[in-house]
Amino acid sequence: MTNSDATTAARAAELLRLHDAPELLQLVNVWDVASARAVAALPETRALATASHSIAASFGYPDGEAIPRDLMLDMVGRIAAATELPVTADLEAGYGDAGDTIRRAIAVGVVGANIEDELKPLGESAAVMAAVVAAGEAEGVPVVLNARTDAFLRGGDRPIDVIVADAIERGRAYLDAGAACVFVPGNFGEDVVARLLEAFGERRLSVIGLPALPSPARLAELGVARVSYGPYVQRVALTALQDVASALYGGGTIPEGTRALN
């Protein structure tokens, strides 16, 4: 193992430790080197997570694997090279070959990944998650898989109990396949969080910070491993950009207190 390989493996081990620790891992998603450096500079930041939606938007592509895989991997590699912190990348559904995508992501310094199931048949999805874990093992890097189920996002008008049961069945299968935790994005309350935690165990649930979710402090008390914010952080940044542009057009000036973060 080269020094570079050893460093990547050590970052993967640290990322896993952060998931297992009693403190909630908060990940403020980034989409390029400038945003990564701005977030990484904060003392509270312990790891970085990319947002596939935000990276795709930066290049003019819609979400959903419309961006070429090479372009996505180039950007996540640039982000990984810009920090000493562990970087986990949102790699959508794996771009048709999740195992190969993970191998290539590891090669550019990524040590964790979101892989979504798109609500495909469970056996097929579980095999994809197992391939991701196996690819990391083959590369000597214990890649931290945040296995995402779209049970809520693609659940349609199914009853909530049916959606929760589907998420639980899928999540358990992904944990059995070697995932570190199960990512269940959805705008649900504490009752659903509690049901998912009962099924998966503490520090095995990952959520996105939507309005109906409990506060980060409460998520930590409940035993959630991780909360991230997806494309919403970029939307906040773009809202600020559009607002300052409007103010400048109206005769204003650059706001006082603007920091040189680029």
Side-chain angles (χ1 to χ4, degrees), residues 160-178:
I160 185 67
D161 286 344
V162 173
I163 293 175
V164 171
D166 192 11
I168 288 172
E169 182 182 20
R170 288 172 174 274
R172 284 174 168 163
Y174 303 157
L175 290 171
D176 288 344

Side-chain angles (χ1 to χ4, degrees), residues 47-64:
L48 291 178
T50 71
S52 64
H53 189 137
S54 300
I55 292 175
S58 296
F59 287 105
Y61 292 96
D63 191 29

Side-chain angles (χ1 to χ4, degrees), residues 57-94:
S58 296
F59 287 105
Y61 292 96
D63 191 29
E65 296 193 351
I67 185 173
R69 179 173 68 166
D70 286 351
L71 193 54
M72 178 64 76
L73 288 171
D74 177 73
M75 181 54 76
V76 300
R78 289 173 183 270
I79 290 168
T83 180
E84 296 297 316
L85 296 170
V87 173
T88 178
D90 181 350
L91 297 173
E92 305 197 65

Side-chain angles (χ1 to χ4, degrees), residues 83-129:
T83 180
E84 296 297 316
L85 296 170
V87 173
T88 178
D90 181 350
L91 297 173
E92 305 197 65
Y95 298 90
D97 187 339
D100 184 58
T101 297
I102 289 298
R103 283 189 288 272
R104 294 180 59 183
I106 290 170
V108 297
V110 169
V111 298
N114 288 7
I115 298 291
E116 58 199 59
D117 65 8
E118 298 181 325
L119 224 55
K120 291 178 180 177
L122 178 54
E124 178 183 341
S125 296
V128 168
M129 303 305 175

Side-chain angles (χ1 to χ4, degrees), residues 135-238:
E137 292 173 349
E139 297 300 314
V141 175
V143 65
V144 179
L145 173 59
N146 189 40
R148 172 176 142 176
T149 176
D150 291 325
F152 280 85
L153 296 186
R154 295 174 181 248
D157 58 0
R158 296 187 299 171
I160 185 67
D161 286 344
V162 173
I163 293 175
V164 171
D166 192 11
I168 288 172
E169 182 182 20
R170 288 172 174 274
R172 284 174 168 163
Y174 303 157
L175 290 171
D176 288 344
C181 60
V182 181
F183 182 25
V184 188
N187 194 27
F188 43 74
E190 184 171 321
D191 58 333
V192 171
V193 172
R195 291 166 68 181
L196 295 171
L197 283 167
E198 182 179 6
F200 303 150
E202 289 193 359
R203 320 297 169 205
R204 293 294 176 265
L205 175 63
S206 170
V207 297
I208 191 166
L210 293 172
L213 267 288
S215 70
R218 182 59 179 154
L219 291 175
E221 290 176 357
L222 291 168
V224 172
R226 158 179 175 168
V227 61
S228 57
Y229 299 93
Y232 297 100
V233 180
Q234 187 187 54
R235 291 173 185 173
V236 171
L238 292 175

Side-chain angles (χ1 to χ4, degrees), residues 243-255:
D243 286 350
V244 75
S246 179
L248 292 171
Y249 291 147
T253 61
I254 296 294

